[in-house]
Amino acid sequence: MKPTMEAAIQQNGGTTDTQAAPSAQEDVRQKKDTKGWLKTLLRFASHCRERMAIAELFSVLSVFSGLVPYYGIYRIIDAVASAPNDGAVPWDAVLLWTAASAAAYIAKQLLFAASTINSHISAYTVLAQLRASVAKRLTNASVGTAQAKSVGRLKDTVVDRIEQIEVPLAHMIPELSANLLLAAVIAIWIILIDWRLALACLATLPVGLAVMAIGSGGYYKMYGGYLAKQDHVNSVVVEYIKGIRVVKAFNQTTSSYKKFADAVSGFLTYTIEWMKMARVAMAASTSILPTTLFGVVPVGVFLYLAGVLTPGEFGLACMLALAVVAPITYLGASFNEMNLIAFAIADARDFLNLPELTQREREAQVAGSDIRFNDVRFSYEEGVEVIHGVSLEIPEGSFVALVGPSGSGKSTLARLAVRHWDVDSGSISIAGQDIRDMPLPQLSSLVSYVSQSDYLLDGTLRDNVALGRPSAADEEIHGAIEAAGCEEFVSRLEKGWDTPAGEAGHALSGGERQRICIARAILKDAPIVVFDEATAFADPENEARIQKSVAALSQGKTLLVIAHRLSTIVQADVICVVDGGRIAAQGTHAQLLESCPLYKDMWQAHVGAADWAAGSGDRAPSIAEGDDAR
């Protein structure tokens, strides 16, 4: 459940060097454990076992129906060959076996269609189960653990990689078993005709399989590298699109595009080189495997001339020798398909095996909304502790603020309170109940967390507000909207509250998006509100509106606020100064101005920045005016 330092940097808006990523990813891919993929797949197929069994049954019936025409042609040849020399054709036998063969062929196609329909439904059921399980795992994992996985990797696995297994899975369910059965039946049939024909039919098979095995020798390594290159392209594309504004602002389009172009070019080069390496073996094996007649025809002619075979048996042996080519070729091709599924399942397991936050099934008895940090210690990585023995009490209904320099641990403490991560030692409790002893839904119902980086989800603006409490009536939703002061800017939108969030996400300012998130939290009406920088994106005008929204949100609530703009928290009951992962001081605004040099310096810097801000018509309270500012 430990988040990596890279995830911590990304969460705080920083960047990491991705140039070394391809080689690291490639190394991981090439060493990926693909064992046990079939067991994992069958576990997710448990919801459609009956349908899979039906697909298999229809597939087997289809195979046996497909063998009838071979027998029918044999009977026709035998009947014609054994006819009297007067030239009379045994039309009754010809018509009978022609009709039987045609009926069997139609039955084969219908049975195969029924098998394929059921296998496709089964395959999509497996895909749905896989994706749902990944989503559930991400939901139950800590935020830090989930965010340690790159967006490109997540998209590649959940959307692309899992989708790729649908076609081979849907066809392998009926076709692999059908072709295995078909090859076995044909082999037995040829043996029953004459064992020497069977040996002649298989004469070139070991050579073809040996060539295929040689060509597949480096398959795992090359395929692992292929997936690594593909992941790198996905990551670079996501990075390029997400950072396009920064790229353009700093005139880095050439270098950034070069990174994107190099990733695509590298992927193309690798794929072409892989195909070049494999094409000779593939071409040779696919050329050798269908040469079954090379042995059957001369041996069959010899046996016919020796009087061992009838004309019908010789014709049947030739047809069966040709018929065995298709299942053998399919079995060779299915090797690639099975490996594709194995790698896809292995990728999915990277998410399916994410450590989950432990939680109890039964709800804890919680009477109150006070919060207590008891000697809390936490580290992003083993041995790198960032929170050092913090103890803090937040009484029910109080307004407590956390302030401090950047990187001091303010946001980390807030996120620990809502269990984005679990503490290393110590505890965090609500009304005396350790939050680790609560089911996650119960903790979520007790706490509203409004982050400075909250964003609008897919849907309309009204839908986004309603997420706070989906069962809320329209009157309650509108009340939350008004309390957050959103009507003023939403009324300017052409579609109002029915504006799609994707469109509004770009049309609205950061402060306006923040107020929509506040409206969502107001509607949720949780007894505890954790607010990570209420005015992070606000201009002076929007800041005043957001402060009113926060006031509406916090009425009668236990409020924990992380603030960078100190003027927003001067009225807090208690202000805690966080420095280096510790509580350096706590008290009211006036008390800290007198007793805490760090807070005093921060206040002076804040006042100076407010006085200096261009276009500001109002001067921020000075140190001397601190008491009045409350």
Side-chain angles (χ1 to χ4, degrees):
M1 292 180 287
K2 294 283 185 191
T4 65
M5 188 58 72
E6 179 185 354
I9 294 173
Q10 291 174 345
Q11 291 162 12
N12 288 298
T15 58
T16 57
D17 182 13
T18 60
Q19 294 296 330
S23 61
Q25 287 180 347
E26 186 169 335
D27 182 64
V28 171
R29 287 288 195 178
Q30 292 174 2
K31 296 179 180 179
K32 184 173 290 295
D33 181 14
T34 57
K35 295 179 181 178
W37 66 269
L38 183 58
K39 182 178 180 181
T40 302
L41 192 63
L42 292 176
R43 176 163 60 90
F44 286 101
S46 59
H47 294 273
C48 52
R49 287 176 180 171
E50 294 80 6
R51 192 175 290 277
M52 291 177 66
I54 292 173
E56 290 289 349
L57 175 61
F58 284 148
S59 179
V60 171
L61 294 176
S62 173
V63 167
F64 282 104
S65 298
L67 291 173
V68 172
Y70 293 103
Y71 184 72
I73 294 175
Y74 156 68
R75 293 299 300 269
I76 292 173
I77 294 174
D78 193 58
V80 172
S82 60
N85 294 328
D86 58 5
V89 177
W91 288 109
D92 53 343
V94 171
L95 293 176
L96 172 65
W97 287 109
T98 299
S101 298
Y105 178 79
I106 294 173
K108 173 192 173 183
Q109 299 304 319
L110 293 176
L111 289 166
F112 181 77
S115 173
T116 303
I117 289 172
N118 282 277
S119 67
H120 274 79
I121 295 175
S122 300
Y124 280 116
T125 301
V126 172
L127 263 60
Q129 291 296 321
L130 270 171
R131 287 176 170 140
S133 295
V134 170
K136 182 179 180 181
R137 199 74 176 192
L138 287 169
T139 301
N140 291 335
S142 70
V143 172
T145 299
Q147 291 183 341
K149 302 291 184 180
S150 70
V151 176
R153 178 75 186 283
L154 178 61
K155 178 263 181 189
D156 182 44
T157 299
V158 177
V159 179
D160 299 332
R161 194 79 76 237
I162 292 179
E163 186 65 28
Q164 286 176 354
I165 73 175
E166 182 273 325
V167 173
L169 181 59
H171 289 276
M172 279 181 62
I173 291 174
E175 292 179 21
L176 180 59
S177 58
N179 280 279
L180 283 171
L181 179 62
L182 180 59
V185 170
I186 290 176
I188 293 172
W189 201 345
I190 296 177
I191 292 173
L192 292 176
I193 296 173
D194 193 286
W195 64 270
R196 288 163 291 191
L197 283 175
L199 290 178
C201 181
L202 300 177
T204 58
L205 181 61
V207 179
L209 292 178
V211 173
M212 179 181 290
I214 293 172
S216 303
Y219 180 85
Y220 278 102
K221 182 177 180 180
M222 296 300 294
Y223 191 63
Y226 170 83
L227 295 180
K229 295 287 186 183
Q230 189 178 65
D231 277 353
H232 181 53
V233 169
N234 285 333
S235 297
V236 171
V237 169
V238 171
E239 178 188 22
Y240 186 74
I241 294 174
K242 290 178 68 175
I244 191 68
R245 287 183 296 177
V246 176
V247 170
K248 289 182 175 293
F250 290 92
N251 196 28
Q252 296 296 313
T253 51
T254 302
S255 60
S256 296
Y257 180 76
K258 183 178 184 302
K259 181 180 178 181
F260 168 73
D262 287 347
V264 175
S265 177
F267 182 46
L268 173 63
T269 302
Y270 187 94
T271 304
I272 292 176
E273 290 300 320
W274 183 22
M275 293 300 103
K276 287 181 179 179
M277 291 174 59
R279 67 180 178 180
V280 175
M282 290 177 62
S285 62
T286 54
S287 299
I288 295 172
L289 287 175
T291 58
T292 52
L293 283 179
F294 279 8
V296 170
V297 170
V299 173
V301 170
F302 172 79
L303 293 174
Y304 171 71
L305 294 176
V308 176
L309 294 181
T310 65
E313 290 173 332
F314 177 57
L316 177 60
C318 291
M319 287 186 294
L320 292 176
L322 290 174
V324 81
V325 171
I328 291 176
T329 304
Y330 179 84
L331 294 176
S334 65
F335 172 80
N336 290 336
E337 295 182 340
M338 284 189 288
N339 278 285
L340 187 150
I341 296 175
F343 273 93
I345 295 297
D347 283 340
R349 275 206 302 255
D350 288 344
F351 292 92
L352 294 172
N353 293 337
L354 288 176
E356 294 183 307
L357 292 171
T358 58
Q359 55 177 317
R360 293 188 177 181
E361 295 184 3
R362 294 184 178 180
E363 290 193 355
Q365 296 297 321
V366 179
S369 59
D370 57 290
I371 307 173
R372 180 172 181 173
F373 291 73
N374 182 29
D375 194 25
V376 169
R377 295 181 181 275
F378 174 74
S379 57
Y380 285 111
E381 295 178 335
E382 292 295 342
V384 185
E385 190 174 88
V386 294
I387 300 297
H388 314 289
V390 169
S391 294
L392 173 65
E393 292 189 12
I394 304 175
E396 181 175 354
S398 63
F399 173 9
V400 174
L402 301 179
V403 301
S406 295
S408 60
K410 306 182 299 296
S411 293
T412 301
L413 286 171
R415 290 172 178 175
L416 288 173
V418 294
R419 211 183 174 198
H420 282 182
W421 302 295
D422 271 339
V423 300
D424 294 346
S425 62
S427 64
I428 302 174
S429 59
I430 296 176
Q433 291 288 339
D434 193 317
I435 60 175
R436 291 170 295 189
D437 294 335
M438 301 178 187
L440 292 177
Q442 182 184 19
L443 178 61
S444 177
S445 68
L446 293 172
V447 183
S448 287
Y449 177 73
V450 183
S451 169
Q452 58 179 303
S453 58
D454 273 349
Y455 58 93
L456 305 181
L457 303 177
D458 190 23
T460 66
L461 298 184
R462 187 191 306 275
D463 293 337
N464 270 273
V465 174
L467 283 173
R469 186 153 47 93
S471 61
D474 288 343
E475 295 77 11
E476 294 174 299
I477 296 174
H478 285 293
I481 289 170
E482 292 177 2
C486 299
E487 288 287 1
E488 172 266 329
F489 67 85
V490 174
S491 62
R492 300 196 306 265
L493 300 173
E494 181 179 352
K495 296 182 180 179
W497 283 101
D498 293 322
T499 302
E503 176 184 329
H506 299 289
L508 301 182
S509 69
E512 290 167 343
R513 287 196 298 270
Q514 191 80 52
R515 276 187 276 167
I516 291 178
C517 294
I518 293 173
R520 180 191 300 162
I522 291 175
L523 182 64
K524 184 178 180 180
D525 196 29
I528 299 171
V529 180
V530 178
F531 219 127
D532 190 351
E533 186 46 65
T535 57
F537 303 109
D539 52 32
E541 182 180 1
N542 265 326
E543 180 178 351
R545 293 192 177 103
I546 291 177
Q547 287 302 312
K548 293 180 181 178
S549 301
V550 173
L553 172 62
S554 60
Q555 288 182 0
K557 315 289 185 185
T558 302
L559 187 62
L560 177 61
V561 174
I562 294 86
H564 294 97
R565 298 185 184 183
L566 300 187
S567 59
T568 63
I569 49 88
V570 292
Q571 298 184 35
D573 298 314
V574 176
I575 300 172
C576 298
V577 181
V578 184
D579 187 24
R582 294 181 173 85
I583 303 294
Q586 55 182 304
T588 64
H589 173 70
Q591 291 170 344
L592 291 174
L593 285 176
E594 295 293 332
S595 62
C596 182
L598 175 58
Y599 185 80
K600 184 175 181 179
D601 291 342
M602 292 172 60
W603 180 254
Q604 287 176 329
H606 171 70
V607 171
D611 284 337
W612 175 81
S616 177
D618 301 318
R619 185 173 62 84
S622 66
I623 298 175
E625 298 168 337
D627 291 337
D628 294 334
R630 294 191 63 193

